[in-house]
Amino acid sequence: RSKARRLQIQPALMARSLQEGLGGACVLTKTRHDMGRMMQASAVFAPRDLVLTEPPVLRGSCSIDVCPGCGCPRKSSGRSTASVLRRCGGPKDCAWAAAEEDVALAPAIAWHLSTSAKVLSRGSAADGGNGVRVCCLLALVIQAAANVSLKAWLLGHLRPAGDGAVASNRAAACTSGMPGATTGPHGESTLSYARLFARFVPLDVSELNHLLLVLQTNLFTIDECSIGIYASACLIEHSCRPNARVSVAGPGALLSVHATRRIAVSESVSFSYIDEEDWLARAPAQQRRARLHRELGFYCQCSACRLEEGIECESSQSSS
């Protein structure tokens, strides 16, 4: 009965987060045939205005002493040698706590803990590199595998891997026999994760690949050891010349979106997936597109890139 109660709580939290996020921030969801789903302003925002704020629906961490799902301290079972028995000490509706009750996921939880320990023993999360990402994604997958309602919500309500600025905005996307599969480094790395996770998680490679593509399309970085899924913010599209900035802060990993310039009614809300301090943010469109395609799997078609592309075409035609 306790487990069934948890399965009912999650969708209620998700629906409330989506309603409060979109309804309280004067933004709404729109769908365009060429861009997929996006977030548009239903009121005028001035620079520095708060556009949206919301907590994560789901989070995943590379962690040992805190729960990978809710961030609360883990409680010891009293047997220090059986570290896998260190359980979530947080709220009863924590999706990771539900996963700990599923015997079929015990190998995956044990592998997550041992891998996190190896990664974090290197001194810093930055030294862990790809290992941190593997642990964070695995934490999300474990929680989804333990909760049928949660997995259905992730696949049915988040932006699909073939939708929005991350996916349908790319010109090079195509399928290869697997749901949501893509070509290029991004698709190859996701498939490698799926094959690795299938050794521990009771889902087949095809299902894992689809789930991982959706998760990577929608996730936000919380800190150097954690990532999160946000019900409303995942609809914000990328632009190399954005009109908003995203930040995540506090123990509750609250995500906030602030306008960086005036946003008109019906204008799409956008932020840059490239850190503004990264040299690439000021690089030519060709270099930005190459990085975004290599690391995130989409070919950028934002207005800034299209404008630069048009100028380059005109210059080449003039010179010829």
Side-chain angles (χ1 to χ4, degrees):
R1 182 178 299 175
S2 174
K3 187 171 183 180
R5 187 162 56 247
R6 284 179 183 167
L7 295 180
Q8 295 170 2
I9 289 173
Q10 285 290 341
L13 290 175
M14 297 164 198
R16 187 169 72 247
S17 174
L18 186 61
Q19 183 179 14
E20 291 175 353
L22 291 176
C26 298
V27 290
L28 48 85
T29 305
K30 287 287 186 179
T31 301
R32 262 178 45 190
H33 73 281
D34 59 335
M35 294 290 288
R37 285 183 287 169
M38 63 182 66
M39 182 179 291
Q40 287 188 337
S42 57
V44 175
F45 292 99
R48 295 185 294 277
D49 277 357
L50 178 65
V51 177
L52 171 73
T53 182
E54 64 175 334
V57 168
L58 185 68
R59 62 190 292 173
S61 302
C62 177
S63 59
I64 304 172
D65 298 324
V66 299
C67 172
C70 66
C72 293
R74 275 174 160 163
K75 57 183 180 181
S76 174
S77 64
R79 297 172 57 192
S80 59
T81 55
S83 59
V84 72
L85 297 179
R86 290 162 55 85
R87 302 173 67 86
C88 170
K92 292 183 178 180
D93 61 349
C94 171
W96 186 269
E100 291 177 330
E101 296 180 359
D102 193 332
V103 176
L105 288 170
I109 291 175
W111 184 57
H112 177 275
L113 186 59
S114 63
T115 305
S116 294
K118 291 177 183 177
V119 171
L120 297 178
S121 67
R122 298 171 185 171
S124 72
D127 295 332
N130 197 51
V132 172
R133 184 173 184 82
V134 169
C135 289
C136 290
L137 287 171
L138 176 62
L140 296 182
V141 167
I142 287 173
Q143 294 172 83
N147 189 325
V148 176
S149 299
L150 173 59
K151 185 174 70 171
W153 184 88
L154 291 169
L155 295 175
H157 292 273
L158 292 182
R159 189 171 56 192
D163 184 21
V166 173
S168 69
N169 195 19
R170 61 192 174 211
C174 67
T175 57
S176 61
M178 263 188 199
T182 63
T183 58
H186 177 72
E188 293 169 3
S189 64
T190 300
L191 184 56
S192 68
Y193 290 158
R195 288 170 174 158
L196 177 62
F197 292 178
R199 295 164 50 191
F200 304 94
V201 180
L203 298 174
D204 61 40
V205 174
S206 176
E207 190 173 10
L208 282 167
N209 189 68
H210 184 200
L211 178 60
L212 283 166
L213 283 169
V214 171
L215 291 173
Q216 291 185 101
T217 296
N218 293 276
L219 65 81
F220 285 83
T221 298
I222 294 175
D223 55 41
E224 62 179 7
C225 289
S226 304
I227 57 179
I229 298 294
Y230 294 82
S232 303
C234 68
L235 298 173
I236 304 175
E237 64 184 19
H238 163 78
S239 174
C240 293
R241 297 294 181 268
N243 55 23
R245 176 180 298 141
V246 173
S247 61
V248 180
L254 193 68
L255 181 145
S256 298
V257 180
H258 288 86
T260 55
R261 60 172 176 80
R262 185 181 183 276
I263 303 177
V265 175
S266 298
E267 183 179 354
S268 298
V269 180
S270 63
F271 77 103
S272 178
Y273 297 173
I274 303 172
D275 192 302
E276 61 183 14
E277 296 182 1
D278 191 322
W279 66 270
L280 193 67
R282 294 170 293 280
Q286 185 177 7
Q287 295 181 35
R288 297 197 305 269
R289 283 173 160 174
R291 165 87 76 84
L292 289 167
H293 183 261
R294 181 175 67 252
E295 297 184 359
L296 298 178
F298 74 97
Y299 187 78
C300 184
Q301 291 287 338
C302 75
S303 58
C305 285
R306 292 201 305 269
L307 177 61
E308 290 183 42
E309 184 178 50
I311 293 174
E312 290 176 0
C313 289
E314 290 180 3
S315 298
S316 60
Q317 290 173 0
S318 300
S319 60
S320 59

